[in-house]
Amino acid sequence: MVRWPTKDELTQKFVEYLIGPNKTIDDLQNQWVAKHLILGLREAVYMLVVVLKFVYDNITAVTATGEKLDELGEEYGVERKAASKAIYSVTIGKSSAVTSDTPVPDNFLVTTTPIGNDPPIQYRVIPRQAKVIPYGRTSVDEVLVECTEFGERGNVPEGAINLVAQAGFDFVSNAVVYRAGTNIEEDEVYRQRILDRKRNPGKGGTAHDYKTWAESVNGVVSALVIPLNRGNGTVDIVITGVNGIPDQVVIEECQSFIETKTPAGMADGGVKVLAPTPITINVTLENTIWTAGYSVETGSQFVQSALIDYIERQANKDRVVRVVDLLTTAKQAYNPQDPSKKPVLVDFSMSVPEANKFLANTEMAVVGQITIT
């Protein structure tokens, strides 16, 4: 981190340059012109230092990108979160009972079903799990497989990993998320964490410290700190993940990391990392009239996408799902491929929800059933 000189340090430097080392401004009591020249020069240079410091502190971090932003983040102890691979728990098996214990090989390949021209997403069995189909059984559960690609591309719907891609086993099923994959942290999100840290330097256990620590954990998108939620000496931290509600592995990793930062004297169990309570938001649009070229079959996907984005992002940020916002979002939904951004809906009525839904601190709006007719 850059160390900016103080007025006294500038004064001392100018004195040494003008009259030699080991001298101070007090040695110029009888040299009125030289003394005031030094003080005037000091003031002018210090104003320049103030301007440079302002530029460095308030503009550089705001405008920097890429590696430069990484360098600034490191100066404030805020590292960019790296991309990670999605991990799923699956069942792997054979069509008939095995006649001897049959181990599942490390790096065994399973995939999703290809859709159209998109290739399947590949996953490999994580090494050293020692998973075995026991004699007389047809399958083994809770085999962890890791996507071969980094990022959120590996976050597929549960059950979507359903093809065995090499010989030795006949099926893979029951795929459930163990740990969601993450993209490398985007500049704007990373920049905000850096600026937050600059505005709120670490103080060893404030609410903002807990927020900073939690949001530094890979897989944590945001954190809400609730001091005294369970009484004196307690701090609850509600986190969200890549898919909204975080998976258990991310919760545990965040809890473990926070415990390494917890100030001395905090009681065991005083700090608790929690997932938000999901609040399902259903939306029903009826009597739809569509823009020319669209119908309920071709236009619904764009309306659904806009409503999902509003519920998952804006509503949770505002802590309320507003009926008027749902109406406005649906009315303004458009096809992203249309450069004119013309709304696909002309008119409709909304029967669900009937009223605004306010969210408590520990609640999170999640998309339920979106029905468009």
Short mmCIF file of all heavy atoms in Angstrom, two decimals, residues 253-278:
data_model
loop_
_atom_site.label_atom_id
_atom_site.label_comp_id
_atom_site.label_asym_id
_atom_site.label_seq_id
_atom_site.Cartn_x
_atom_site.Cartn_y
_atom_site.Cartn_z
N GLU A 253 -18.16 -24.61 4.95
CA GLU A 253 -16.88 -23.97 4.68
C GLU A 253 -16.87 -22.53 5.22
O GLU A 253 -15.86 -22.07 5.76
CB GLU A 253 -16.60 -23.98 3.18
CG GLU A 253 -16.27 -25.38 2.64
CD GLU A 253 -15.99 -25.37 1.15
OE1 GLU A 253 -16.15 -24.30 0.52
OE2 GLU A 253 -15.61 -26.42 0.61
N CYS A 254 -17.98 -21.84 5.05
CA CYS A 254 -18.07 -20.48 5.55
C CYS A 254 -18.00 -20.47 7.08
O CYS A 254 -17.30 -19.64 7.68
CB CYS A 254 -19.37 -19.84 5.07
SG CYS A 254 -19.51 -18.08 5.45
N GLN A 255 -18.71 -21.40 7.72
CA GLN A 255 -18.68 -21.50 9.18
C GLN A 255 -17.25 -21.75 9.68
O GLN A 255 -16.79 -21.10 10.62
CB GLN A 255 -19.59 -22.64 9.63
CG GLN A 255 -19.63 -22.85 11.14
CD GLN A 255 -20.45 -21.80 11.86
OE1 GLN A 255 -21.57 -21.52 11.48
NE2 GLN A 255 -19.90 -21.24 12.92
N SER A 256 -16.56 -22.67 9.02
CA SER A 256 -15.19 -23.00 9.44
C SER A 256 -14.27 -21.80 9.29
O SER A 256 -13.43 -21.52 10.15
CB SER A 256 -14.65 -24.18 8.62
OG SER A 256 -15.42 -25.35 8.86
N PHE A 257 -14.41 -21.08 8.18
CA PHE A 257 -13.56 -19.91 7.95
C PHE A 257 -13.86 -18.82 8.97
O PHE A 257 -12.93 -18.21 9.53
CB PHE A 257 -13.77 -19.38 6.53
CG PHE A 257 -12.93 -18.18 6.22
CD1 PHE A 257 -11.56 -18.29 6.05
CD2 PHE A 257 -13.51 -16.92 6.10
CE1 PHE A 257 -10.78 -17.16 5.79
CE2 PHE A 257 -12.75 -15.80 5.83
CZ PHE A 257 -11.38 -15.93 5.67
N ILE A 258 -15.13 -18.55 9.22
CA ILE A 258 -15.50 -17.51 10.19
C ILE A 258 -14.94 -17.84 11.56
O ILE A 258 -14.49 -16.96 12.30
CB ILE A 258 -17.03 -17.36 10.25
CG1 ILE A 258 -17.58 -16.79 8.94
CG2 ILE A 258 -17.44 -16.46 11.43
CD1 ILE A 258 -17.14 -15.39 8.63
N GLU A 259 -14.95 -19.11 11.93
CA GLU A 259 -14.46 -19.51 13.25
C GLU A 259 -12.98 -19.23 13.42
O GLU A 259 -12.50 -19.04 14.54
CB GLU A 259 -14.77 -20.98 13.50
CG GLU A 259 -16.27 -21.23 13.74
CD GLU A 259 -16.61 -22.70 13.89
OE1 GLU A 259 -15.70 -23.54 13.69
OE2 GLU A 259 -17.78 -23.01 14.19
N THR A 260 -12.22 -19.17 12.31
CA THR A 260 -10.80 -18.82 12.41
C THR A 260 -10.61 -17.32 12.64
O THR A 260 -9.53 -16.88 13.01
CB THR A 260 -10.04 -19.22 11.13
OG1 THR A 260 -10.46 -18.40 10.02
CG2 THR A 260 -10.26 -20.69 10.80
N LYS A 261 -11.67 -16.54 12.39
CA LYS A 261 -11.59 -15.10 12.54
C LYS A 261 -12.27 -14.59 13.81
O LYS A 261 -12.08 -13.43 14.19
CB LYS A 261 -12.28 -14.42 11.33
CG LYS A 261 -11.68 -14.78 9.98
CD LYS A 261 -10.33 -14.11 9.81
CE LYS A 261 -9.80 -14.29 8.40
NZ LYS A 261 -8.51 -13.59 8.18
N THR A 262 -13.08 -15.43 14.43
CA THR A 262 -13.87 -15.00 15.58
C THR A 262 -12.99 -14.47 16.71
O THR A 262 -12.01 -15.11 17.09
CB THR A 262 -14.71 -16.18 16.11
OG1 THR A 262 -15.58 -16.63 15.07
CG2 THR A 262 -15.55 -15.75 17.29
N PRO A 263 -13.29 -13.30 17.24
CA PRO A 263 -12.47 -12.72 18.32
C PRO A 263 -12.43 -13.62 19.55
O PRO A 263 -13.39 -14.36 19.83
CB PRO A 263 -13.20 -11.41 18.64
CG PRO A 263 -14.00 -11.10 17.41
CD PRO A 263 -14.40 -12.42 16.84
N ALA A 264 -11.34 -13.54 20.26
CA ALA A 264 -11.21 -14.30 21.50
C ALA A 264 -12.29 -13.86 22.48
O ALA A 264 -12.64 -12.69 22.57
CB ALA A 264 -9.82 -14.07 22.11
N GLY A 265 -12.82 -14.82 23.20
CA GLY A 265 -13.86 -14.51 24.17
C GLY A 265 -15.26 -14.80 23.68
O GLY A 265 -16.20 -14.85 24.49
N MET A 266 -15.41 -15.00 22.38
CA MET A 266 -16.72 -15.36 21.84
C MET A 266 -17.05 -16.78 22.26
O MET A 266 -16.24 -17.70 22.12
CB MET A 266 -16.73 -15.25 20.32
CG MET A 266 -18.05 -15.64 19.66
SD MET A 266 -19.38 -14.46 19.95
CE MET A 266 -18.92 -13.15 18.81
N ALA A 267 -18.25 -16.98 22.79
CA ALA A 267 -18.65 -18.30 23.27
C ALA A 267 -18.76 -19.29 22.11
O ALA A 267 -19.03 -18.91 20.97
CB ALA A 267 -19.99 -18.21 24.00
N ASP A 268 -18.54 -20.58 22.42
CA ASP A 268 -18.72 -21.62 21.41
C ASP A 268 -20.15 -21.57 20.89
O ASP A 268 -21.11 -21.51 21.67
CB ASP A 268 -18.44 -23.00 22.01
CG ASP A 268 -16.96 -23.20 22.32
OD1 ASP A 268 -16.15 -22.43 21.79
OD2 ASP A 268 -16.63 -24.12 23.10
N GLY A 269 -20.27 -21.60 19.56
CA GLY A 269 -21.60 -21.52 18.97
C GLY A 269 -22.16 -20.13 18.90
O GLY A 269 -23.31 -19.94 18.47
N GLY A 270 -21.36 -19.16 19.31
CA GLY A 270 -21.84 -17.78 19.29
C GLY A 270 -22.06 -17.25 17.89
O GLY A 270 -22.94 -16.44 17.65
N VAL A 271 -21.22 -17.71 16.96
CA VAL A 271 -21.36 -17.31 15.56
C VAL A 271 -21.93 -18.47 14.78
O VAL A 271 -21.41 -19.59 14.83
CB VAL A 271 -20.01 -16.88 14.96
CG1 VAL A 271 -20.18 -16.51 13.49
CG2 VAL A 271 -19.42 -15.72 15.74
N LYS A 272 -23.00 -18.22 14.05
CA LYS A 272 -23.67 -19.28 13.30
C LYS A 272 -23.96 -18.82 11.88
O LYS A 272 -24.57 -17.78 11.67
CB LYS A 272 -24.97 -19.68 14.00
CG LYS A 272 -25.63 -20.93 13.42
CD LYS A 272 -26.82 -21.34 14.25
CE LYS A 272 -27.46 -22.62 13.73
NZ LYS A 272 -28.63 -23.02 14.55
N VAL A 273 -23.50 -19.62 10.91
CA VAL A 273 -23.76 -19.34 9.50
C VAL A 273 -25.01 -20.11 9.08
O VAL A 273 -25.12 -21.32 9.32
CB VAL A 273 -22.57 -19.73 8.62
CG1 VAL A 273 -22.89 -19.49 7.14
CG2 VAL A 273 -21.32 -18.95 9.03
N LEU A 274 -25.95 -19.41 8.47
CA LEU A 274 -27.24 -20.00 8.13
C LEU A 274 -27.58 -19.78 6.67
O LEU A 274 -27.15 -18.82 6.05
CB LEU A 274 -28.36 -19.35 8.97
CG LEU A 274 -28.20 -19.30 10.48
CD1 LEU A 274 -29.21 -18.32 11.06
CD2 LEU A 274 -28.40 -20.67 11.07
N ALA A 275 -28.38 -20.70 6.13
CA ALA A 275 -29.01 -20.47 4.84
C ALA A 275 -30.32 -19.73 5.07
O ALA A 275 -30.96 -19.90 6.12
CB ALA A 275 -29.29 -21.80 4.13
N PRO A 276 -30.72 -18.87 4.16
CA PRO A 276 -32.01 -18.18 4.34
C PRO A 276 -33.17 -19.15 4.24
O PRO A 276 -33.07 -20.20 3.59
CB PRO A 276 -32.03 -17.17 3.20
CG PRO A 276 -31.12 -17.73 2.17
CD PRO A 276 -30.05 -18.48 2.91
N THR A 277 -34.27 -18.80 4.87
CA THR A 277 -35.50 -19.60 4.75
C THR A 277 -36.16 -19.27 3.42
O THR A 277 -36.49 -18.11 3.14
CB THR A 277 -36.47 -19.27 5.90
OG1 THR A 277 -35.81 -19.52 7.14
CG2 THR A 277 -37.74 -20.09 5.79
N PRO A 278 -36.35 -20.27 2.55
CA PRO A 278 -36.94 -19.98 1.24
C PRO A 278 -38.42 -19.62 1.34
O PRO A 278 -39.18 -20.28 2.04
CB PRO A 278 -36.73 -21.28 0.46
CG PRO A 278 -36.63 -22.34 1.51
CD PRO A 278 -36.01 -21.70 2.70
#
